[in-house]
Amino acid sequence: MNPPSFQPLPVPPARLGESPLWHPQEHALYWCDIPGRALHRWQPALAQHQRWDLPTEPGCCAPIDGGGLLLAMRDGLWRFDTATGQRQWLADPPYDPATERFNDGKAAPDGSFWVGTIYEPRDPPLAALYRWAHGRLQRMADGITTSNGLAWSPDGDTMYWTDTKAHCIRAFDGVRGAEQLPPPRVLAQFTPRQPGQALDSYGGRPDGAAVDVEGAYWCAMYEGQRLLRLAPDGRVLADWPLPVRCATMPCLGGEDGRTLFVTTAREGRPAEELAVQPWAGQVLCARVEVPGLPANLVRL
């Protein structure tokens, strides 16, 4: 597979872009700017960009069956109406918003919504993973610091989940129809950055992810300036360089599923890095050979 040739979308950069979502019904790309407290939409057919300012940080978004988006925000789960810009309460946050917030999340094949948190003091590892279904938020796993990397295999029977700080991606086989998560296996374990280690020699830590129709797992390596494509057994199928240091999450979409979108970050990056990486914070896009899976819809 040839390396992607990236270009930025013609929209303003985010401080920390996350949760790119190709909406299968609207034919539009959504993404969040977490510290910028904003939701963005790009409609390629119209070459039109729209931004909604929000009252607190959005960690992620997912499409709802019947219209609108589910936003996981610091102050809870909300249904967002893109026609009016209004949000409707769904669930309170199951944590103290002073130290924790929702982070990465996606709809599962069964229509439930899975979302993890980030514990902002970083230590001890108090973040957790939750499943929202039938109006109830259930704690499914914990013992991590930064929840990321949620994705499902094409048959819906394997769920992937990442603890970014631990540099570990886990795979849970046999999740279809299960009420509890089965014991995981390690899909990939990466080497943490050592004190004083230069970024150029650091491979990065696993952040957001997507799965394609062949079952491969695409993972953004934050601070590693690369995007990995992993086989279901963890083998590295591709290791692609990126034009920015901090990619946050890939998404496969477009009309044929073969447009790769990658959100990136510029928040907190040194001035000398930003000077040579002007695309930091942009949504990068490229054409690829293998299409992605359509986004699942949340069923309320």
Side-chain angles (χ1 to χ4, degrees):
M1 187 179 291
N2 295 322
S5 178
F6 288 99
Q7 290 293 323
L9 290 184
V11 300
R15 290 166 61 184
L16 174 56
E18 266 287 7
S19 191
L21 159 71
W22 178 260
H23 200 295
Q25 297 171 337
E26 295 186 19
H27 307 284
L29 180 77
Y30 286 91
W31 68 99
C32 299
D33 182 350
I34 297 177
R37 298 187 175 189
L39 173 70
H40 293 264
R41 179 174 64 187
W42 171 252
Q43 296 171 285
L46 303 175
Q48 185 176 85
H49 169 247
Q50 189 167 359
R51 170 189 170 123
W52 292 270
D53 292 320
L54 300 168
T56 188
E57 301 97 320
C60 58
C61 58
I64 294 175
D65 189 10
L69 299 176
L70 193 156
L71 295 184
M73 304 179 64
R74 184 182 290 273
D75 61 354
L77 300 183
W78 300 83
R79 183 173 190 166
F80 185 76
D81 186 338
T82 57
T84 65
Q86 300 300 308
R87 58 181 196 152
Q88 176 187 353
W89 174 87
L90 294 174
D92 288 328
Y95 49 74
D96 180 358
T99 57
E100 200 169 347
R101 63 167 174 81
F102 283 128
N103 198 46
D104 178 79
K106 282 182 179 174
D110 66 359
S112 61
F113 178 70
W114 291 68
V115 60
T117 65
I118 177 171
Y119 182 64
E120 291 169 317
R122 299 297 198 271
D123 190 52
L126 296 181
L129 179 66
Y130 297 87
R131 179 180 184 263
W132 189 78
H134 311 296
R136 176 171 170 256
L137 199 58
Q138 180 182 1
R139 191 180 182 104
M140 301 299 294
D142 51 27
I144 67 165
T145 300
T146 306
S147 178
N148 265 312
L150 282 168
W152 283 263
S153 60
D155 65 2
D157 203 36
T158 296
M159 188 188 83
Y160 300 100
W161 182 45
T162 291
D163 182 356
T164 295
K165 184 182 179 184
H167 291 64
C168 184
I169 305 171
R170 297 181 178 92
F172 298 81
D173 299 316
V175 298
R176 189 173 50 215
E179 290 299 317
Q180 302 293 330
L181 285 176
R185 59 183 167 89
V186 174
L187 181 77
Q189 177 69 61
F190 303 94
T191 303
R193 186 182 180 193
Q194 302 304 304
Q197 182 180 1
L199 279 177
D200 288 343
S201 64
Y202 171 53
R205 51 195 178 275
D207 202 325
V211 171
D212 64 34
V213 297
E214 295 180 354
Y217 182 86
W218 302 53
C219 177
M221 297 297 289
Y222 192 87
E223 282 197 321
Q225 201 162 334
R226 62 185 182 140
L227 179 70
L228 297 181
R229 183 174 183 257
L230 305 177
D233 62 5
R235 287 176 296 117
V236 177
L237 302 175
D239 184 342
W240 291 310
L242 294 171
V244 298
R245 174 63 62 188
C246 295
T248 57
M249 186 173 174
C251 164
L252 291 159
E255 295 304 318
D256 60 359
R258 293 178 50 231
T259 298
L260 169 65
F261 300 99
V262 182
T263 47
T264 68
R266 61 187 295 112
E267 180 85 346
R269 306 310 302 169
E272 57 272 21
E273 179 181 295
L274 295 176
V276 297
Q277 297 188 355
W279 291 354
Q282 298 284 166
V283 178
L284 307 179
C285 58
R287 296 290 290 164
V288 295
E289 297 171 26
V290 180
L293 297 173
N296 299 310
L297 301 178
V298 179
R299 293 200 289 271
L300 298 182

